[in-house]
Amino acid sequence: MLTIERREKIKEVLLAKKNVTVAEMAELFGVSTETIRRDFEALGSEGFLIKTYGGASLLLKKNITISQKIKSAVMKEEKQRMARAAVSLLQPNDCFFMDHSTTVFNMCDYFSDMPLTVMTNSLPVMESVTQHGGIRLCAPGGDFDQKSQAFFGIETLQYLKRHCFDYAFISCTSLDLGYGIYDSDDMIAEVHRCIIECADKVCLMADHTKFSRSAFTRTCPLTSIDLLITDQKVDEEWGNLLKEYDIQLVECIK
């Protein structure tokens, strides 16, 4: 395995586990502990991790960005559970928006032959939806962002504003009890804010690792969403706040 490939795999493991040891990574990849320490040094210089005694911990910086390839490989089972719950909400002839997140993308695996209209700025969603004959696909223009594999910009926003949706399915970088929902940068937040205004019901899909954290860009308060789908049971404080805001909660517990 090439060095760059191994380091990408280390990122996947860290995103899933949050903490790893030098010894377990050396065993996993069949390399020396010195090699892993050099990997940790390189990933630390990227701001991805912080070295600890005998290991490393994921460094949750507010402006860290992670490629879609890495994100798609992490917490696959949890994302699938949330995706099934999201698709179960749909009725024949619904029209809805799907964002570029890897969490929302998993919905594509559970579409049936039900007639639906999908709008998305995500290239992977576009490619997947074309395999379903009963689905009408609508796609905005804009500037293609390689890292997120999606289209953004003024043209994207203008196109979205001309439409209305039964549902908007979105994810986020994080959410907290104070402000609400955060994204990794302004262009993603702008699309989310725009689509929230265009949808009758906004469904946020967020796994448990995103709770009680902030990120670089403030997107919207929690009151902007109607439904929250997550992969674990939320704690009492979160449960009470969601009830106060009349946000429907779906906990996709294994």
Side-chain angles (χ1 to χ4, degrees), residues 166-183:
D166 295 301
Y167 286 97
F169 295 97
I170 64 173
S171 189
C172 63
T173 299
S174 61
L175 62 161
D176 66 17
L177 294 164
Y179 173 76
I181 299 168
Y182 298 81
D183 281 306

Side-chain angles (χ1 to χ4, degrees), residues 45-77:
S45 67
E46 292 181 19
F48 192 86
L49 59 77
I50 183 170
K51 292 191 294 181
T52 60
Y53 182 76
S57 297
L58 180 66
L59 187 58
L60 295 173
K61 287 191 173 182
K62 296 187 187 305
N63 65 344
I64 190 169
T65 55
I66 302 166
S67 71
Q68 296 296 88
K69 181 180 179 181
I70 293 175
K71 288 180 181 178
S72 64
V74 175
M75 300 184 69
K76 185 69 174 178
E77 182 180 337

Side-chain angles (χ1 to χ4, degrees), residues 3-110:
T3 298
I4 190 171
E5 295 174 339
R6 185 178 61 255
R7 290 174 181 173
E8 292 297 289
K9 289 292 184 182
I10 290 173
K11 288 181 179 181
E12 291 179 16
V13 177
L14 261 174
L15 280 171
K17 298 182 65 175
K18 304 300 181 286
N19 300 282
V20 297
T21 67
V22 171
E24 68 179 317
M25 291 296 96
E27 182 179 357
L28 177 63
F29 296 108
V31 296
S32 69
T33 56
E34 285 303 314
T35 296
I36 295 298
R37 289 192 180 94
R38 287 194 294 271
D39 291 338
F40 285 178
E41 187 74 34
L43 295 177
S45 67
E46 292 181 19
F48 192 86
L49 59 77
I50 183 170
K51 292 191 294 181
T52 60
Y53 182 76
S57 297
L58 180 66
L59 187 58
L60 295 173
K61 287 191 173 182
K62 296 187 187 305
N63 65 344
I64 190 169
T65 55
I66 302 166
S67 71
Q68 296 296 88
K69 181 180 179 181
I70 293 175
K71 288 180 181 178
S72 64
V74 175
M75 300 184 69
K76 185 69 174 178
E77 182 180 337
E78 291 85 349
K79 291 174 182 177
Q80 289 173 338
R81 295 202 305 268
M82 291 187 286
R84 286 194 294 268
V87 171
S88 71
L89 299 171
L90 299 173
Q91 299 294 322
N93 298 310
D94 274 350
C95 58
F96 55 97
F97 176 84
M98 296 173 63
D99 79 0
H100 72 286
S101 65
T102 57
T103 301
V104 171
F105 172 76
N106 278 268
M107 292 175 63
C108 296
D109 291 337
Y110 302 101

Side-chain angles (χ1 to χ4, degrees), residues 228-245:
L228 173 60
I229 298 179
T230 188
D231 65 314
Q232 291 188 10
K233 185 175 179 61
V234 301
D235 64 29
E236 184 177 2
E237 191 174 18
W238 270 101
N240 290 337
L241 186 65
L242 295 173
K243 286 180 181 178
E244 179 184 338
Y245 290 161

